[in-house]
Amino acid sequence: MVEIRNLRKTFGPTVAVDDVSFDVAKGEVLGFLGPNGAGKTTTMRVLTCYIPADSGTARVAGFDTYAESIEVRRRIGYLPESAPLYLDMGVMEYLSFVASIRGLPKSMRERRIADMVELCNLGSVRHKTVGELSKGFRQRVGLAQTLIHDPDVLILDEPTTGLDPNQIVQIRELIRRIGREKTVLLSTHILQEVEATCSRVQIIDNGRLVAQGTTEELTRFAVGERRVVVRYRAAAGDVEPRLRELGGVSGINALDSEEPGTCRYEVIADETDGLEERLFRLAVESGWVLTELRPETRSLEQVFQSLTRGEVV
Amino acid sequence: MGSVAPIFKKEFLGYFQSPIAYIFLTVFLILMHGLLFWATGFLVIGQADLRDFFGLMSIVLVFFVPAISMRLWAEEMKLGTMELLMTFPVRDWEAVIGKYLAALAMIALAILLTIPLPITIGLFGNPDAGPIIGGYLGALLLSAAYLAIGAWTSSTTSNQIISFILGLLILLVASLGLDWIRQFSPGWLATWLAYFSLRTHFDSIARGVVDIRDVVFYLSVIGFFLYLNVRSVESRKWS
């Protein structure tokens, strides 16, 4: 649905987006993750035909964002960062303006606006002007605006910034619901957001893509090995050599056991399968009591940090 | 062309969504009436003519038009709505024309609301419809040219005050300023300055002589500044 190839955009000496290529498949919710200033907004602005790229191509539903810009714009709904709206306009009046400028036939407008009010829960504010609304409601008006012409692709730039926790939950729920039918590209610098709403993640830093995959894939990718924390009720002197001999184990780190008479290790293996099982069998064979066996998962947060700090993973 | 109408409608009604439109209309009418009575004292002397009225209008419009046009683009940039507007399926020139026509409609409304004045003057003096129609046609062309300049200055900044002051300065120079310099200029320069002064063309139309060259002059000014306006809106793509 969205194809970006070798996209590059500079602002004077600053390279905002550098050779970025990725796809968003139909029906997918792709999280576009990166620290502030990484190039997310610039990529989205190229994709929405607001600015052209220096080189490379971006296509939406097969149409080129530069050469066939009007066709592309018809097929996308865009929510720029911080949901800019005309503050003097009434909510319904604004939606009606967007419906008409989006070229919806008159006969459909009222119907679509009513649907959007329903979908985005705007019923209680329909008689207010946009300037009177809270940030959460403005964001929902912004989302209603992106959906009114039933676009194929939604592009949402940081849709939850500046919202309180309850509003964030509501907006995410709304995005998840929308994502069942639409192709969504969503940028954020908040990791929970990606885990909560996206099926796939694309990490960008300093204008370059540094990683991509599902959230689980990324976590595993960044770790690249399996780590398990294990605790046996046995003497450390007995346990340590046996662990080192265990198949597939590439290293162990002694940890503070926090309990007298036990010893605790972090076991690192190259192979990802069956490590817990072998650790359990070791306990049975040696007659040790196993008091802890826990896979060490690195959160997406740590993955993100290590990727965007330029550490080799 | 399909997107001109929704933008026109949004902009024109936008003037009435806040007290702006009413304040502008009231101030314009008070200025026109007040200044005319004060400057000419025509009720006392009983011999003011339409030239005073339209001459005054051409000066009041220098201040009034930039006040109407200052928000056209500056506000979009301030609010960030520009980014959304320019990603709707709207061509840059459609947005420029839609906004321009909306502001022009607003100004035309203000100008037409003064109609009782020349009619009153006509009753006192010479009740000839020709100069009245010519004067209004001239005033519309003149304010359309002022507006093209004001709309362009609005597209160069996100600050409405800067847009207003810049527009006012250009208009002051292009109308009153050139007329003033002309008085001290040698003949050949004076002819040139007269040609470029926005108001001299208005004077001849307001006398009831609609010369096609004057009309072409105004249309060229409008075309030129609307073109600059489109380029200025496009300039986001150049960096």
Side-chain angles (χ1 to χ4, degrees), chain A:
Chain A
M1 205 35 113
V2 175
E3 297 165 41
I4 294 181
R5 292 286 172 274
N6 310 104
L7 205 68
R8 188 181 158 86
K9 177 75 186 173
T10 56
F11 296 101
T14 325
V15 182
V17 174
D18 191 4
D19 197 28
V20 162
S21 305
F22 66 91
D23 290 340
V24 191
K26 197 171 161 65
E28 186 174 50
V29 181
L30 178 69
F32 202 35
L33 188 66
N36 293 329
K40 304 184 296 272
T41 299
T42 303
T43 307
M44 292 183 144
R45 282 180 172 171
V46 171
L47 206 51
T48 54
C49 315
Y50 184 64
I51 52 173
D54 295 345
S55 64
T57 58
R59 288 176 164 274
V60 174
F63 294 101
D64 186 88
T65 52
Y66 186 74
E68 296 154 306
S69 128
I70 296 285
E71 291 301 320
V72 170
R73 297 181 204 193
R74 281 190 222 285
R75 286 166 177 79
I76 54 176
Y78 178 36
L79 182 63
E81 199 173 344
S82 78
L85 300 166
Y86 301 107
L87 303 182
D88 289 340
M89 283 182 117
V91 171
M92 302 304 276
E93 199 181 355
Y94 176 68
L95 292 179
S96 154
F97 163 66
V98 178
S100 68
I101 206 163
R102 284 289 189 185
L104 249 72
K106 271 208 172 74
S107 54
M108 279 175 61
R109 280 182 211 165
E110 219 162 297
R111 183 70 222 264
R112 282 299 293 172
I113 293 170
D115 289 350
M116 289 307 107
V117 168
E118 160 108 36
L119 178 72
C120 300
N121 265 322
L122 295 169
S124 57
V125 298
R126 46 188 299 154
H127 299 298
K128 294 197 173 176
T129 57
V130 173
E132 294 172 316
L133 301 183
S134 67
K135 190 83 181 62
F137 270 112
R138 285 186 198 184
Q139 209 77 16
R140 280 192 249 169
V141 173
L143 272 173
Q145 165 274 124
T146 64
L147 286 163
I148 202 152
H149 54 300
D150 196 22
D152 299 327
V153 179
L154 280 186
I155 296 174
L156 311 175
D157 197 356
E158 312 224 343
T160 60
T161 32
L163 301 184
D164 71 34
N166 289 332
Q167 294 169 330
I168 289 180
V169 170
Q170 288 168 1
I171 294 289
R172 282 184 192 159
E173 168 57 30
L174 188 54
I175 293 171
R176 257 201 305 271
R177 214 178 327 151
I178 296 163
R180 286 186 212 132
E181 291 162 27
K182 307 260 177 235
T183 305
V184 182
L185 175 61
L186 170 150
S187 85
T188 179
H189 58 268
I190 306 161
L191 288 137
Q192 297 93 310
E193 190 135 303
V194 168
E195 288 175 316
T197 50
C198 301
S199 46
R200 208 158 59 84
V201 192
Q202 189 78 254
I203 298 183
I204 184 171
D205 185 44
N206 275 325
R208 287 179 159 277
L209 291 183
V210 286
Q212 67 128 341
T214 62
T215 48
E216 300 93 70
E217 272 172 4
L218 266 189
T219 314
R220 206 178 313 150
F221 164 76
V223 176
E225 60 203 359
R226 185 111 178 113
R227 286 163 193 257
V228 172
V229 173
V230 66
R231 180 159 52 184
Y232 297 120
R233 188 161 294 145
D238 296 337
V239 175
E240 219 175 293
R242 297 292 302 276
L243 283 179
R244 286 191 196 284
E245 289 162 13
L246 208 62
V249 171
S250 58
I252 59 171
N253 297 319
L255 302 174
D256 179 13
S257 77
E258 293 166 6
E259 201 183 305
T262 64
C263 58
R264 192 159 174 249
Y265 292 94
E266 183 185 40
V267 183
I268 305 160
D270 301 328
E271 293 165 40
T272 52
D273 296 327
L275 182 61
E276 288 95 330
E277 202 177 309
R278 288 197 294 278
L279 290 169
F280 175 73
R281 286 189 193 288
L282 181 66
V284 174
E285 283 160 17
S286 320
W288 304 331
V289 174
L290 181 66
T291 59
E292 184 182 357
L293 183 62
R294 176 170 60 84
E296 184 92 302
T297 54
R298 286 174 75 186
S299 67
L300 199 53
E301 201 129 352
Q302 289 163 302
V303 177
F304 180 69
Q305 279 172 359
S306 61
L307 282 171
T308 55
R309 275 187 201 140
E311 290 172 16
V312 180
V313 287

Side-chain angles (χ1 to χ4, degrees), chain B:
Chain B
M1 282 304 278
S3 304
V4 174
I7 291 178
F8 173 86
K9 189 178 157 203
K10 179 219 145 224
E11 291 293 332
F12 186 68
L13 295 181
Y15 284 115
F16 295 91
Q17 267 151 4
S18 59
I20 298 175
Y22 305 101
I23 293 172
F24 278 160
L25 290 175
T26 311
V27 169
F28 182 70
L29 291 176
I30 290 175
L31 272 180
M32 281 306 298
H33 286 76
L35 285 176
L36 188 65
F37 282 61
W38 175 72
T40 67
F42 82 86
L43 279 185
V44 182
I45 305 163
Q47 50 176 281
D49 62 20
L50 285 170
R51 288 187 51 200
D52 296 323
F53 170 71
F54 286 115
L56 181 66
M57 185 183 274
S58 71
I59 294 167
V60 172
L61 284 172
V62 167
F63 297 86
F64 182 69
V65 170
I68 288 285
S69 63
M70 65 184 185
R71 71 193 283 263
L72 280 180
W73 295 99
E75 191 181 51
E76 297 269 3
M77 287 188 263
K78 190 98 184 172
L79 290 175
T81 45
M82 183 84 163
E83 188 168 347
L84 207 45
L85 181 67
M86 299 330 274
T87 55
F88 287 145
V90 175
R91 290 174 181 85
D92 292 352
W93 65 264
E94 290 177 321
V96 168
I97 297 290
K99 280 174 175 284
Y100 176 75
L101 291 180
L104 188 60
M106 183 69 199
I107 292 164
L109 177 66
I111 291 176
L112 293 180
L113 285 175
T114 63
I115 276 184
L117 259 180
I119 290 178
T120 317
I121 297 171
L123 289 179
F124 278 95
N126 162 28
D128 188 356
I132 297 186
I133 294 171
Y136 275 105
L137 181 69
L140 280 179
L141 278 170
L142 179 72
S143 52
Y146 285 177
L147 177 61
I149 294 171
W152 168 65
T153 63
S154 179
S155 70
T156 59
T157 170
S158 62
N159 184 321
Q160 295 193 24
I161 305 296
I162 292 176
S163 156
F164 174 77
I165 291 174
L166 197 59
L168 181 63
L169 278 177
I170 295 176
L171 292 185
L172 280 175
V173 170
S175 54
L176 305 174
L178 291 185
D179 286 354
W180 184 70
I181 298 171
R182 201 159 48 122
Q183 296 170 1
F184 313 101
S185 305
W188 62 272
L189 185 59
T191 319
W192 268 92
L193 290 176
Y195 185 75
F196 282 104
S197 164
L198 288 169
R199 270 178 77 235
T200 46
H201 296 269
F202 172 68
D203 287 340
S204 60
I205 297 179
R207 274 198 297 272
V209 187
V210 181
D211 188 328
I212 192 73
R213 280 173 301 183
D214 295 325
V215 177
V216 167
F217 171 78
Y218 283 125
L219 293 182
S220 318
V221 171
I222 294 166
F224 177 69
F225 281 98
L226 287 183
Y227 170 75
L228 287 188
N229 197 163
V230 172
R231 299 296 284 173
S232 165
V233 170
E234 275 176 0
S235 67
R236 67 176 191 274
K237 299 176 180 168
W238 300 342
S239 59

